[in-house]
Amino acid sequence: MTAIFNPLTIRNTDFEWGKRTYIMGVLNVTPDSFSDGGDFNSLEMALNQAQQMVKAGADIIDIGGQSTRPGAEDVSLEEELNRVIPLINTIRKSTDVVLANIPISVDTTRSQVAEMAVKAGGDIINDISGATFDSKMLSVVAQLNVPIILMHIRGTPKTMQTLTHYQDLMGELKQFLQERIQAAIHQGISQDHIIIDPGIGFAKTVTQNLEILRNLTQLRSLNCPLLVGTSRKSFIGHLLNQPDPKQRVWGTAATCVAAIANSADILRVHDVKEIVEASRVADAIYRETVEKN
C-alpha cells in the first residue's frame, strides 16, 4: 500500500503518506455535538482534553465550534469564533512543547473562521461541505497557503439524512470529490495541500457507510491523501444496538482497521488512545513499510 503523493510538513510533523496511519483527535468545543457535546465547553476542559489526546499519540487536533451532527442548527459566526479562537491561542501558548506545536485542524465551513483560525495558529482547514457552503472558502485557503480537507456531503447537516438515494454511490462520491479537487486547484490550492474525506454518516445510510468502507481504494485514483471519520457514529450504534455513542469505541476500532486495510491515511477519532493502538497493529499487518522500519 504505497503512497502516490508527496509528503506534507506541518509544524514539526512530516506526514509521509503510506508509511503509517495518522490519528486526528476530535475536540468539539460545542454544547450539542452528538457524542461529546458539552464535555469540553470551557477553555480549561478543552485544553486538558487536547493535552490528553497529544499524550495518547494524536498527530493532529481537530477543533470544531459548530456541531455537524444530523439535524444540527447553525451557530452565529461570532459564537463559532468565540469557541474556537481562544482555544487555538491557548494551545499555541502552552508550556508543553509538544502540545504547543501539535498540528491543529479547524473544522469549519466559514471562510472568516478559517482565516481567523489560521492567523491564531491553526494549520489545516477541515470543511465538511467540500467548500460548497461558503463561496470564498477556496480562495481564502489558497491565500492562507494551508492544506484543506474536502468532504463529501449532500444538503446540510439539517437536511442530509433525507438525501441518501444514489444511483451509483461510489461513482457519485468520486465525481463530487473530483469536482471539488479541481475547484480547489483552480483557485490556487496546491494538489499537495488537498486531503479528501468520503463523508461517512453524511447523507449516507448504514448500508452505504459499510459500502464506502469496503470500497475506499476506489478513491485512490483521485491522488489525494484520504481521511476517514467513523468515530462513534450512529451506523456503529445501529450494528451494535448501542444508543450511547461513548460505548461505541470497539465498534469504531473495527471500522478504523477496515479503513486502514483499504488505504486510509488519516483517521478522525474521539478515543485517541484506543485507536492509536488499533492502528499501530493494523499498520504492522497492512503496511509493509512498518515492518521494514
Side-chain angles (χ1 to χ4, degrees):
M1 202 162 68
T2 52
I4 40 175
F5 20 79
N6 296 324
L8 185 62
T9 301
I10 301 171
R11 294 195 182 264
N12 299 338
T13 305
D14 292 324
F15 292 87
E16 296 183 77
W17 309 117
K19 283 206 170 174
R20 71 174 180 90
T21 306
Y22 294 93
I23 304 298
M24 174 187 276
V26 179
L27 186 50
N28 288 318
V29 277
T30 55
D32 59 341
S33 288
F34 80 96
S35 87
D36 56 0
D39 286 0
F40 313 114
N41 238 351
S42 77
L43 200 51
E44 193 180 348
M45 288 191 295
L47 185 66
N48 181 55
Q49 178 65 0
Q51 271 170 325
Q52 295 309 315
M53 289 198 289
V54 169
K55 270 187 199 152
D59 300 291
I60 307 167
I61 303 285
D62 188 50
I63 298 173
Q66 152 88 22
S67 174
T68 54
R69 65 183 166 77
E73 299 282 350
D74 273 351
V75 299
S76 70
L77 172 63
E78 187 181 16
E79 179 67 26
E80 189 179 350
L81 288 168
N82 286 343
R83 291 173 181 178
V84 171
I85 304 302
L87 179 56
I88 298 173
N89 283 328
T90 308
I91 290 172
R92 288 290 171 243
K93 288 175 187 162
S94 172
T95 53
D96 177 336
V97 178
V98 181
L99 179 63
N101 287 289
I102 190 82
I104 292 176
S105 163
V106 181
D107 184 350
T108 187
T109 59
R110 289 177 165 135
S111 59
Q112 299 106 308
V113 176
E115 189 165 5
M116 297 279 286
V118 170
K119 285 177 178 167
D123 302 292
I124 305 166
I125 301 305
N126 181 11
D127 189 334
I128 61 123
S129 77
T132 59
F133 290 0
D134 183 337
S135 60
K136 293 181 182 164
M137 181 62 92
L138 292 175
S139 59
V140 165
V141 169
Q143 285 163 6
L144 294 167
N145 194 30
V146 294
I148 187 167
I149 299 161
L150 300 170
M151 192 189 85
H152 175 274
I153 193 174
R154 278 177 163 183
T156 65
K158 201 166 184 183
T159 63
M160 63 189 178
Q161 289 315 104
T162 64
L163 301 167
T164 56
H165 179 71
Y166 298 83
Q167 298 285 344
D168 167 15
L169 176 65
M170 293 308 295
E172 289 172 55
L173 213 154
K174 198 168 163 183
Q175 186 181 356
F176 173 92
L177 290 170
Q178 177 75 64
E179 286 167 2
R180 300 318 299 154
I181 292 165
Q182 290 308 319
I185 291 169
H186 182 70
Q187 289 288 343
I189 297 173
S190 157
Q191 171 98 29
D192 292 344
H193 272 184
I194 301 169
I195 296 162
I196 54 172
D197 177 349
I200 299 270
F202 289 81
K204 321 284 191 306
T205 63
V206 173
T207 310
Q208 288 163 350
N209 289 322
L210 299 175
E211 186 182 336
I212 292 167
L213 283 170
R214 284 187 205 108
N215 293 287
L216 282 174
T217 48
Q218 290 185 29
L219 301 176
R220 269 331 222 192
S221 61
L222 296 173
N223 291 338
C224 293
L226 183 58
L227 180 147
V228 176
T230 56
S231 188
R232 299 182 179 177
K233 286 188 175 172
S234 61
F235 81 101
I236 298 170
H238 175 86
L239 295 170
L240 298 177
N241 193 23
Q242 177 51 266
D244 179 0
K246 289 179 183 173
Q247 300 302 315
R248 298 171 186 165
V249 59
W250 300 118
T252 296
T255 63
C256 288
V257 171
I260 291 168
N262 288 306
S263 75
D265 296 289
I266 306 171
L267 300 173
R268 183 181 181 276
V269 300
H270 300 83
D271 304 287
V272 172
K273 181 179 184 294
E274 293 87 342
I275 306 307
V276 162
E277 291 184 2
S279 69
R280 208 162 277 172
V281 175
D283 278 353
I285 299 165
Y286 296 109
R287 295 186 199 271
E288 290 171 29
T289 51
V290 174
E291 290 172 48
K292 286 175 192 160
N293 294 340

